[in-house]
Structures are given as C-alpha cells and as structure tokens.
C-alpha cells in the first residue's frame, strides 16, 4: 500500500487540534520534571488510530503508555505526540508533534509540526527537506561561529555534571548556546540554518526520528556515541551539526569526557 507525505501532514495537523492553551490535565511520570498531559494522550490516540488505518499492519513505537510494537513490521511509526511537554504545559510555543515512518528499520518519512510556532517541517528520504512547503538547508557556518542547541539531561540530573562539562568545552570554541526545550524543534531549526551545532546526552527515538531525517535531507549530519546514525529503537546520545567536521568535533569533546555511555 502506498502512503504519501501529504496524508501524514494532514493527519498530524488534524491531531494538533487536540493541543489547547488551557484546560488539560498534567501528571508527572515519576519525577517532577517529566510530565504528561491529557493532550499528549489525546494526540497519540488520534495518531495511532488514523495512521494504522492509513497503513494497515504497521507497527508503533510511541512515547506514552509504553506503546512498543515494532518487531517484525516492515513499516513502523515512531511518534512523540508532544515533544516539549514542559513547554506545552506552560502554553510556551516551543512544542511539536513528531511523527516518523520507518521502512525496514530506516527513516523513510518524517513530519515535525509545531502549531504555535506555525512551522510544519517534513522530509521524504531522498527528496529534500521543507518547512511550510519551502525547501530548507543547513548553514555553512564554521564551528567557531556556531550556535549550539543542547540540554542538561533534564530527566536524569545525575548526568548533568557530564553534560555541563561537555557543553562548557563546546561553548569555549563556538559562538553561543541556545535551548528551546523541544529536541525535535531544535533539530529542525538546525536543519533550517538558524543554529549550527547540537548535543544531548540521552534522547529517545521519538524525540529525533523525524527530525533526524529532516536534518539529513537538509544537508546536515547526525550521529551517536559510536559515530553511527542514532538508533531508531533504543535511547541514544545525539550529536548533530550543519557540517560533518563540526559533528566530529563535538563528538571528540564528548569522548574526552565520557569513555562510555552512563546507560545501556
Ligand atoms: C524532551 C524534549 C527536550 C529534551 C528532552 C526530551 P518531552 O521531550 O525534547 O528538549 O531535552 O531530553 O525528553 O519529554 O518533552 O517529550
Ligand atoms: Ca520528546
Ligand atoms: Ca513527549
């Protein structure tokens, strides 16, 4: 069965009507930083129902409610119903729905839609990357002029010191540091040339599956601790940049501080 990126975009945009500025419930998921709202659940339920109807037999790997049914499926949806939930809970615009479609384990299509920023990013493997229908491309800035998007391991503060040391060393050699609170949005901003460097110690596949494809299709580079493309099924360290040499340079800073990952 054939599916088009337009069908995915339309479904994601329809799902976004479940994102509202107020009136949702907020709960924590074991720590006061890690939140889930009733909107996360409503968006995910809508997407799983509609996308499985669009592509019968497809599998799912989704953030909420441990939805983890990807083994043995040729097509798998990797979904973060709201990336940047802490922002969403405060009606901060920096949040997005992230939907990736994997084909035989590889990122094939990706949509990151941030309704309050008014930005819909998308890519199909081999077809370039777009924001609101306009082609996007990474910057060509050198590392020394780069803006770094990053985070301090919010849900695992026991690793914050390592993040701090890595970020500090990158910061000394680049232009400056930024943080929006949505990895998907940040990687798409990197894909658009609004920033140039990226590091996060541990992300889940749903945080970056769609944005990684968008970034690569926009000419950028992304890798994990071992220098390979980050896993699309298990947590990963994520380094990304406009240029491959900047990606390698961030990774060398990471390796200076970490001989191995602090998680499996
Ligand atoms: C989080 C955001 C944040 C990143 C965290 C993610 P969530 O996702 O992407 O920017 O720093 O690592 O977990 O929990 O808001 O979906
Ligand atoms: Ca997320
Ligand atoms: Ca989320």
């Amino acid at each position: 069965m054939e599916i088009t990126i337009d069908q995915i975009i339309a479904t994601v945009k329809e799902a976004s009507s479940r994102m509202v500025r107020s009136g949702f419930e907020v709960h924590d998921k074991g720590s006061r930083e890690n939140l889930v709202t009733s909107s996360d659940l409503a968006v995910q339920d809508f997407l799983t129902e509609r996308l499985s109807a669009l592509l019968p037999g497809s599998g799912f790997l989704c953030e909420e409610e441990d939805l983890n049914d990807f083994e043995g499926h040729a097509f798998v949806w990797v979904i973060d119903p709201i990336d940047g939930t802490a922002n969403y809970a405060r009606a901060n615009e920096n949040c997005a729905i992230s939907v990736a479609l994997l084909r035989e384990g590889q990122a094939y299509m990706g949509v990151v839609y941030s309704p309050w920023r008014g930005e819909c990013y998308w890519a199909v493997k081999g077809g370039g990357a777009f924001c609101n229908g306009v082609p996007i491309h990474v910057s060509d800035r050198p590392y020394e002029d780069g803006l770094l998007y990053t985070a301090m391991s919010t849900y695992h503060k026991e690793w914050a010191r390592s993040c701090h040391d890595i970020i500090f060393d990158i910061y000394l050699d680049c232009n400056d540091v930024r943080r929006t609170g949505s990895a998907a949005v940040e990687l798409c901003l990197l894909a658009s040339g609004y920033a140039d460097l990226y590091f996060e110690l541990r992300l889940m596949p749903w945080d970056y599956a769609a944005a990684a494809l968008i970034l690569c299709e926009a000419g950028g580079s992304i890798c994990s601790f071992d220098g390979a493309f980050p896993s699309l099924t298990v947590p990963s360290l994520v380094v990304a940049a406009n240029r491959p040499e900047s990606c390698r340079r961030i990774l060398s800073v990471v390796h200076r501080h970490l001989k191995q990952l602090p998680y499996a």
Side-chain angles (χ1 to χ4, degrees):
M1 177 177 179
E2 269 310 307
I3 184 159
T4 66
I5 191 74
D6 289 340
Q7 288 174 299
I8 304 173
I9 293 168
T11 306
V12 167
K13 287 191 170 175
E14 207 178 331
S16 74
S17 66
R18 278 110 189 119
M19 293 171 73
V20 288
R21 297 273 180 177
S22 61
F24 46 80
E25 289 171 30
V26 185
H27 302 282
D28 74 58
K29 294 194 283 185
S31 77
R32 63 186 304 133
E33 295 84 8
N34 196 356
L35 305 178
V36 58
T37 71
S38 46
S39 309
D40 294 72
L41 302 175
V43 169
Q44 183 169 306
D45 286 350
F46 178 86
L47 287 173
T48 51
E49 192 187 319
R50 287 298 183 90
L51 295 173
S52 59
L54 275 179
L55 205 51
S58 49
F60 285 89
L61 177 60
C62 304
E63 176 169 18
E64 307 304 342
E65 297 175 322
D66 289 327
L67 185 44
N68 184 333
D69 166 34
F70 59 85
E71 298 284 357
H73 295 275
F75 289 96
V76 174
W77 300 98
V78 182
I79 298 176
D80 193 337
I82 301 181
D83 185 55
T85 298
N87 287 340
Y88 177 78
R90 294 162 174 80
N92 175 315
E93 65 175 6
N94 292 308
C95 49
I97 298 175
S98 174
V99 173
L101 178 62
L102 314 189
R103 187 174 61 183
E104 305 296 351
Q106 307 289 314
Y108 173 44
M109 295 183 182
V111 175
V112 173
Y113 180 48
S114 178
W116 300 342
R117 292 177 60 94
E119 293 163 3
C120 183
Y121 298 91
W122 58 267
V124 178
K125 179 87 181 153
F130 301 83
C131 178
N132 297 341
V134 178
I136 54 172
H137 205 272
V138 291
S139 77
D140 63 358
R141 273 179 220 99
Y143 190 92
E144 292 74 12
D145 296 331
L147 285 182
L148 171 74
Y149 273 120
T150 190
M152 291 287 287
S153 188
T154 318
Y155 304 150
H156 292 274
K157 288 190 173 163
E158 67 275 21
W159 303 329
R161 179 63 60 190
S162 297
C163 296
H164 169 277
D165 293 348
I166 291 165
I167 295 165
F168 182 79
D169 276 6
I170 299 169
Y171 171 72
L172 289 181
D173 289 336
C174 75
N175 178 326
D176 206 348
V177 177
R178 297 285 185 273
R179 165 82 170 144
T180 70
S182 162
V185 168
E186 289 169 356
L187 288 166
C188 289
L189 290 172
L190 175 51
S192 307
Y194 295 119
D196 318 284
L197 311 170
Y198 186 89
F199 159 72
E200 187 151 354
L201 183 63
R202 182 181 184 270
L203 286 174
M204 299 301 292
W206 46 76
D207 296 318
Y208 56 77
L213 176 65
I214 292 164
L215 176 65
C216 291
E217 288 296 323
S221 300
I222 185 164
C223 71
S224 187
F225 190 70
D226 60 1
F229 192 85
S231 168
L232 293 171
T233 53
V234 296
S236 182
L237 177 144
V238 173
V239 162
N242 56 345
R243 298 169 162 193
E245 62 267 30
S246 295
C247 214
R248 285 195 291 273
R249 194 159 159 187
I250 301 171
L251 196 56
S252 72
V253 177
V254 170
H255 288 158
R256 207 157 65 226
H257 290 279
L258 287 179
K259 296 304 159 216
Q260 61 183 49
L261 287 174
Y263 56 88

